[in-house]
Amino acid sequence: MKIEVSEMEERKGKGKIMCGTLDLSAHPLDCITLIISFTSPRDACRLSLVSTAFNSATESDAVWESFLPSQYQALIPSSLSFSSKKQLYLSLCENPLLIEAGRKSFWLERGSGKKCYMLSPRDLTII
Amino acid sequence: MGSTSTKIKLRTSDQKVFEVEKAVAVQSQTIKYIYENGCPDSVIHVHSVSGDILSKILDYCKKHVNSAAGKEDISPEELYEWDANFVKVDQNTLFDLILAANCLKIESLLDLTCQTVANMIKGKRPEEIRTTFNIKNDYTIEAEEAVRRENKWAFDMLGGVGTMVIEELADDTMSKCVTNTKSRVCVIAANQIVMMRSISKLANKKSIDVYKQPQNPTTPRIKESVKQRNVGTGFIELFFHFKCKM
């Protein structure tokens, strides 16, 4: 009885094997997304200039979701909505949020996605 | 059906057959699923992977299984180095490995290979990325300008007052940045500002050797040299070479 890996491939919607360079049409989107998510937000934006195909890959929500901090949903006020995860990311960089009842202000450093906090005086203790 | 010396047979796209230990083969979630849900004695066909690539992948799996099981005396640093050498292959092989690792669902190998490609992309300008991967630029001039404007911040390496952060200033550090001549460069190492230069002053010199003596004796003494070259459209590329003594 032969068992074939190819059935699983079809189910995953995998593209065909192609030797050679970073040909987006030959690589499954999740591979491209993974590669881009290992770079940085700054690199992802630069990548969008490489070719139009790369632009679509780098604009994808999957890529920007990986740059957002974990549990980011808890941080965003529910009144705000964004057209894409990239817009959400940029908003978190440009508009600091007040968290923890106004004791801390939080934003992301745009190039790397690192979390930045500013503490209010109420949060500091004098020893 | 659970003994560690059980062998699994794998047949590749070019009809090569590999017989491997079960513990090695099931590093692939795909093979594991098929093995556990089918007849254990049959040959598993790995249609999308060639013999050469599968051979390399099995080397990887074997190394990692043996090191995890303690069968091989190898430290985490040595394993890390082994992995680094494993991915020193030509681009075709690297992408074949990515596709195979994705298809066979070997997460650590997929991460390793994708990270390798990511490292080839990081910090590069679009033209450099196109050259590295032989990609054709299919933008019209207007479209390219529009995308560049939209992502302007990613290209202003240093923006107004630039900050180039060197986090680990070991001896003989090389760093590169692209900036415009209106910026300043401020190098911060270990939370201390060790160098601040105006680019316009640097731009007139081919290379500079500056030795900075810090006030605090515990901060590193930096000797830095800067080489610069014009990369067009008002940007210059700076190579910082730090020699650091603690």
Side-chain angles (χ1 to χ4, degrees):
Chain A
M1 188 173 106
K2 278 196 276 182
I3 300 163
E4 315 230 329
V5 176
S6 57
E7 280 167 16
M8 295 223 53
E9 289 160 28
E10 256 128 45
R11 264 181 266 150
K12 277 180 277 177
K14 185 194 153 308
K16 61 184 195 310
I17 288 272
M18 210 167 124
C19 306
T21 56
L22 197 48
D23 182 344
L24 286 193
S25 57
H27 290 76
L29 190 60
D30 42 352
C31 287
I32 304 293
T33 306
L34 191 59
I35 292 174
I36 301 179
S37 67
F38 279 132
T39 63
S40 69
R42 187 185 294 277
D43 289 310
C45 285
R46 286 182 180 174
L47 264 177
S48 43
L49 240 91
V50 170
S51 72
T52 54
F54 265 96
N55 194 21
S56 351
T58 56
E59 292 286 312
S60 74
D61 274 356
V63 165
W64 291 93
E65 178 111 32
S66 71
F67 292 138
L68 287 164
S70 50
Q71 285 127 32
Y72 65 89
Q73 287 104 334
L75 298 164
I76 317 159
S78 48
S79 52
L80 294 173
S81 70
F82 297 93
S83 53
S84 68
K85 291 270 156 35
K86 183 177 179 187
Q87 292 307 318
L88 168 59
Y89 176 87
L90 291 174
S91 168
L92 279 174
C93 297
E94 285 151 22
N95 308 307
L97 295 171
L98 280 178
I99 57 171
E100 292 184 22
R103 297 164 70 93
K104 288 197 179 87
S105 144
F106 165 82
W107 70 98
L108 296 176
E109 198 272 305
R110 192 161 49 175
S112 59
K114 294 196 176 148
K115 291 190 260 192
C116 306
Y117 293 96
M118 188 177 338
L119 305 174
S120 81
R122 273 180 289 162
D123 229 23
L124 301 167
T125 352
I126 302 173
I127 303 175
Chain B
M1 186 137 125
S3 121
T4 47
S5 61
T6 314
K7 302 271 193 194
I8 297 182
K9 287 205 189 98
L10 305 169
R11 193 196 298 274
T12 63
S13 59
D14 46 354
Q15 305 307 317
K16 297 204 179 111
V17 178
F18 292 81
E19 197 168 350
V20 287
E21 283 179 17
K22 178 180 162 234
V24 172
V26 298
Q27 294 288 293
S28 152
Q29 295 300 307
T30 310
I31 294 178
K32 181 168 194 265
Y33 177 87
I34 292 175
Y35 179 78
E36 288 171 355
N37 290 285
C39 177
D41 291 333
S42 56
V43 178
I44 298 180
H45 283 243
V46 192
H47 268 289
S48 52
V49 186
S50 71
D52 290 338
I53 297 294
L54 187 63
S55 167
K56 277 192 77 79
I57 290 183
L58 292 174
D59 280 346
Y60 174 89
C61 293
K62 198 159 169 195
K63 191 79 176 177
H64 280 248
V65 163
N66 286 348
S67 113
K71 278 192 209 165
E72 232 184 272
D73 184 21
I74 176 169
S75 71
E77 293 82 21
E78 284 167 340
L79 188 62
Y80 181 83
E81 264 219 47
W82 190 91
D83 280 352
N85 284 325
F86 180 81
V87 286
K88 280 187 185 152
V89 290
D90 62 274
Q91 270 189 33
N92 287 350
T93 310
L94 185 58
F95 287 113
D96 283 344
L97 283 171
I98 291 181
L99 286 170
N102 187 45
C103 168
L104 295 172
K105 284 185 138 174
I106 307 172
E107 195 179 324
S108 62
L109 179 60
L110 188 59
D111 283 349
L112 173 67
T113 44
C114 287
Q115 178 72 71
T116 307
V117 178
N119 292 343
M120 291 156 80
I121 291 175
K122 274 202 266 200
K124 286 204 166 93
R125 292 191 310 280
E127 311 84 67
E128 291 174 311
I129 299 174
R130 282 190 213 117
T131 313
T132 307
F133 297 108
N134 200 25
I135 302 171
K136 192 168 178 301
N137 180 6
D138 58 349
Y139 272 112
T140 62
I141 301 196
E142 299 85 18
E144 185 171 338
E145 262 314 298
V147 175
R148 191 181 280 273
R149 250 179 286 130
E150 212 179 286
N151 295 296
K152 189 169 173 297
W153 65 272
F155 295 95
D156 290 342
M157 174 68 201
L158 300 185
V161 176
T163 309
M164 184 164 138
V165 179
I166 315 282
E167 280 167 358
E168 272 188 49
L169 202 66
D171 191 21
D172 216 14
T173 305
M174 298 272 292
S175 287
K176 186 172 88 161
C177 74
V178 176
T179 177
N180 59 44
T181 52
K182 294 200 170 73
S183 297
R184 274 187 290 157
V185 173
C186 172
V187 178
I188 302 175
N191 296 321
Q192 304 208 32
I193 298 177
V194 294
M195 185 185 89
M196 185 127 47
R197 290 281 181 278
S198 141
I199 298 290
S200 52
K201 289 213 168 100
L202 293 174
N204 295 325
K205 307 197 182 197
K206 286 259 159 54
S207 80
I208 303 168
D209 280 322
V210 174
Y211 199 78
K212 179 172 165 71
Q213 188 81 27
Q215 274 120 1
N216 183 341
T218 60
T219 56
R221 291 154 73 189
I222 314 289
K223 178 178 172 178
E224 117 258 346
S225 65
V226 180
K227 289 201 172 68
Q228 56 99 6
R229 69 182 179 107
N230 275 320
V231 292
T233 57
F235 282 85
I236 60 172
E237 190 174 58
L238 293 171
F239 285 92
F240 286 90
H241 187 181
F242 292 98
K243 283 209 174 293
C244 160
K245 283 185 163 50
M246 293 298 290

